Amino acid sequence: MTTNDDLEPMLRHENLTEQIEHMEPLAVGDQRLERKIGWVQGAMVNVSYIIGAGIFVGPALTLQLVGSGGMNLIIWLIGALVALSGTYTFMELGTMLPRSGGEVGYLEYCYRRPKYLLAYLFTYWSLMNRSSGVASQGIVFGGYINYAIFGSTYKSHWADRGWAVLSATVLMLVNIFSTRATMKLMGFLTVVKLFVLGLIAIIGLLVLSKVLPSDVDASLNLSFYGTSNTVGPYASALYYVMNSYSGWHNLNYILDEVKDPIRNLPKASAAALLTTATLYILTNIAYLVVLPLETMKNSEFIVAAAFFTKSLGENFASTVLPIFIGLSAFGCGAAINFSAGRVIMEVSRQGLLPYGNVFGKVNPEVGSPVNAYILQYVLAIIFILVPPPGAVYQFIVAFAAYPVYVFYFLMALAVLILRRREPNSKRPISAPLVCVYVFLAFTAYALIFVLIPVENKYYPYWLPYVSAILSMVACSGFWYYQIVIKNTPGKSYNESIRNQGHAAIEQEIYGEYTSVPTTEE
């Protein structure tokens, strides 16, 4: 990536003008959110989403599937490379179309016929997925806090949900009253996560370098002895790994609040993923050099608990560690909730939600989209309290999560389409084609893999995924009524300020560059 010392501009003026005309406008006046987020804070927004409870549980599950420690490290490295491919894909789209909203803006820009259809489907899926995400992370948070307070034998779904309600309430209030406080909260929680993973990594490196004693044969644990020789387990293992890496593009949803987004989005995204991937690999190595393989495979609660029990003692593992993991889940929920409210605001301003003038409005007194966060809160509370625990809740989570791969697939395809349709448009970041194709292949695999038969005693294994597809088809009927018949985008806030908002994009985002950063093709 080169800088604005280059003489060749990113776009000729006429090309830039045409590109901006197909983007949604920036808000104006007191409806504009301030650009307060630098690249370090932006990286924390992504890291806070990526690191949840997965890294404390996932390595044991993947080890059970692939059989050997050496292959377990490789599968986590492959996951990092796939996540890097996705990050590059979203870097290109985010710097080419530097507006908040993430996929909703990219879908609208790339897939222009039928008008707003894919953006509309993404809007309603996002409402469900992010609300269920805040709910599920809150419930995980509650479970670990109860474990720390009452011990491993205490089980109460309603106590877990009580903590989840408290979690959602705190997040709503903080998001409404102070963006600065929100960023500080996520920053603190991110530091907690990095501290725990850093502690695990340091202990592992000290054991590996024989500074700390260990009764484990590290060379055997890190070898490929016992590697599975069937294909199926690797597919399942990669699915678990990618779940632990999800969230690499969270910053794309709030780009209107990022200072100099063309420069800072790539820096933040790369820093977040490289930091997380490095810690994930080192954490996996630490587990393998401290714990016997069978202990790691049979960890019923979390592999991290077995790790800290052996390295720092039972008290830390049973009391302190659950609090850290609970805070990690809380931090993940905080990142989801923060960007979710912003997405609701953006799609409301586009006219993709009913009552867009209500949910798309920024309250000038507090400087945040209050109504959007209230809607997000209500939906999260429904997901926390209404579904019964067990099979029904698992069904809803699977149902809400599946379309993410549909939209990821469309994002990778969009990069290829836009390069062909707009070959003269230079991009601040141009993702290597190999990364785009890797991401495209992975998303296709993810869409197909879940349809491979597995045993489920509660409902047919394919039901949540087929239901998700059918619900998106059914949602097309609502799109036709709202977008085609009622034409809500034509009466939206964005339509009313389109000329001013497009001028603001050119001046605020591109105006400071005499030569906008480019990458030579």
Side-chain angles (χ1 to χ4, degrees):
M1 178 171 51
T2 56
T3 67
N4 58 338
D5 293 331
D6 298 299
L7 298 177
E8 183 183 2
M10 184 190 78
L11 288 169
R12 292 183 177 88
H13 184 76
E14 60 270 20
N15 290 335
L16 178 59
T17 300
E18 182 180 355
Q19 183 171 322
I20 290 174
E21 284 177 355
H22 288 97
M23 294 167 58
E24 290 297 323
L26 274 174
V28 297
D30 62 7
Q31 293 302 295
R32 174 85 65 85
L33 294 172
E34 293 183 48
R35 294 188 183 275
K36 297 179 178 179
I37 300 174
W39 76 266
V40 174
Q41 288 179 311
M44 287 188 172
V45 169
N46 281 359
V47 172
S48 188
Y49 193 139
I50 296 171
I51 303 177
I55 186 59
F56 302 105
V57 180
L61 301 175
T62 55
L63 181 62
Q64 292 169 14
L65 290 163
V66 301
S68 70
M71 186 54 67
N72 207 38
L73 292 178
I74 287 179
I75 205 76
W76 279 84
L77 180 60
I78 291 172
L81 295 176
V82 173
L84 180 63
S85 298
T87 299
Y88 256 122
T89 300
F90 275 84
M91 278 185 195
E92 175 165 335
L93 292 169
T95 53
M96 181 181 178
L97 307 169
R99 283 281 287 104
S100 287
E103 290 97 322
V104 70
Y106 313 149
L107 290 167
E108 179 193 344
Y109 186 92
C110 182
Y111 304 100
R112 297 176 186 174
R113 295 287 184 272
K115 190 173 183 180
Y116 291 112
L117 175 59
L118 293 177
Y120 186 86
L121 296 179
F122 176 82
T123 294
Y124 283 88
W125 166 77
S126 180
L127 284 175
M128 174 175 287
N129 182 62
R130 288 181 167 264
S131 300
S132 64
V134 172
S136 61
Q137 292 298 324
I139 290 171
V140 170
F141 165 71
Y144 282 112
I145 295 301
N146 284 329
Y147 182 99
I149 296 173
F150 302 110
S152 60
T153 59
Y154 180 83
K155 303 291 180 184
S156 171
H157 293 299
W158 285 108
D160 295 349
R161 293 179 185 216
W163 284 107
V165 169
L166 177 63
S167 168
T169 304
V170 169
L171 293 177
M172 177 195 66
L173 294 174
V174 173
N175 289 162
I176 283 176
F177 289 110
S178 176
T179 298
R180 192 179 302 277
T182 297
M183 298 307 300
K184 288 183 177 180
L185 175 64
M186 282 195 289
F188 167 74
L189 294 170
T190 300
V191 169
V192 169
K193 301 178 189 195
L194 296 177
F195 168 76
V196 177
L197 293 184
L199 181 60
I200 293 173
I202 289 170
I203 292 173
L205 291 174
L206 291 175
V207 170
L208 194 60
S209 59
K210 302 188 184 304
V211 174
L212 293 179
S214 175
D215 56 0
V216 169
D217 186 345
S219 60
L220 177 63
N221 280 13
L222 295 171
S223 74
F224 292 89
Y225 179 76
T227 299
S228 173
N229 54 12
T230 57
V231 176
Y234 293 97
S236 299
L238 185 57
Y239 212 74
Y240 281 124
V241 170
M242 293 313 302
N243 182 62
S244 296
Y245 277 111
S246 63
W248 61 71
H249 64 296
N250 198 36
L251 190 62
N252 289 63
Y253 295 113
I254 56 171
L255 276 186
D256 289 354
E257 297 168 73
V258 176
K259 302 172 185 175
D260 194 355
I262 289 177
R263 285 194 182 96
N264 286 330
L265 173 65
K267 289 166 66 176
S269 299
L273 183 63
L274 292 175
T275 299
T276 305
T278 300
L279 285 172
Y280 277 9
I281 298 300
L282 291 176
T283 296
N284 272 276
I285 292 173
Y287 291 154
L288 290 167
V289 300
V290 170
L291 296 172
L293 284 186
E294 290 307 311
T295 299
M296 188 172 169
K297 289 179 182 179
N298 297 325
S299 298
E300 293 183 2
F301 176 46
I302 42 174
V303 64
F307 175 90
F308 279 118
T309 296
K310 187 165 185 180
S311 58
L312 297 181
E314 179 67 30
N315 287 337
F316 185 94
S318 62
T319 304
V320 179
L321 180 62
I323 293 175
F324 280 146
I325 299 176
L327 289 176
S328 185
F330 180 70
C332 181
I336 296 171
N337 199 76
F338 178 58
S339 57
R342 263 52 177 181
V343 171
I344 290 173
M345 178 188 69
E346 288 298 326
V347 297
S348 298
R349 288 175 169 179
Q350 290 177 243
L352 300 182
L353 275 184
Y355 306 104
N357 60 324
V358 175
F359 297 118
K361 184 179 180 181
V362 169
N363 185 315
E365 294 183 6
V366 294
S368 70
V370 174
N371 296 329
Y373 279 114
I374 291 174
L375 175 60
Q376 166 66 20
Y377 176 72
V378 170
L379 293 173
I381 293 299
I382 290 172
F383 276 105
I384 291 170
L385 298 180
V386 173
V392 174
Y393 189 81
Q394 292 170 6
F395 175 90
I396 291 174
V397 170
F399 171 85
Y402 183 66
V404 68
Y405 295 107
V406 175
F407 294 114
Y408 279 172
F409 182 86
L410 292 172
M411 291 300 97
L413 197 61
V415 170
L416 302 177
I417 291 172
L418 291 174
R419 288 187 183 185
R420 185 177 182 85
R421 192 173 75 197
E422 302 177 12
N424 296 321
S425 296
K426 299 289 185 181
R427 290 149 176 85
I429 291 291
S430 186
L433 271 177
V434 65
C435 288
V436 180
Y437 283 121
V438 165
F439 192 52
L440 191 69
F442 168 72
T443 54
Y445 143 80
L447 289 169
I448 296 169
F449 165 71
V450 294
L451 299 178
I452 297 173
V454 294
E455 186 176 337
N456 189 320
K457 62 182 180 180
Y458 298 106
Y459 50 78
Y461 69 92
W462 47 263
L463 188 60
Y465 314 115
V466 172
S467 298
I469 295 170
L470 292 177
S471 69
M472 293 177 72
V473 172
C475 198
S476 300
F478 296 104
W479 162 81
Y480 186 81
Y481 174 76
Q482 184 178 341
I483 305 301
V484 178
I485 296 177
K486 301 292 288 184
N487 188 27
T488 51
K491 307 166 188 174
S492 65
Y493 170 79
N494 280 4
E495 192 62 33
S496 70
I497 53 99
R498 191 162 295 276
N499 290 337
Q500 290 175 277
H502 282 158
I505 292 176
E506 186 167 359
Q507 294 166 11
E508 184 175 314
I509 297 177
Y510 298 110
E512 69 179 270
Y513 295 100
T514 55
S515 169
V516 179
T518 66
T519 297
E520 297 294 338
E521 295 183 349

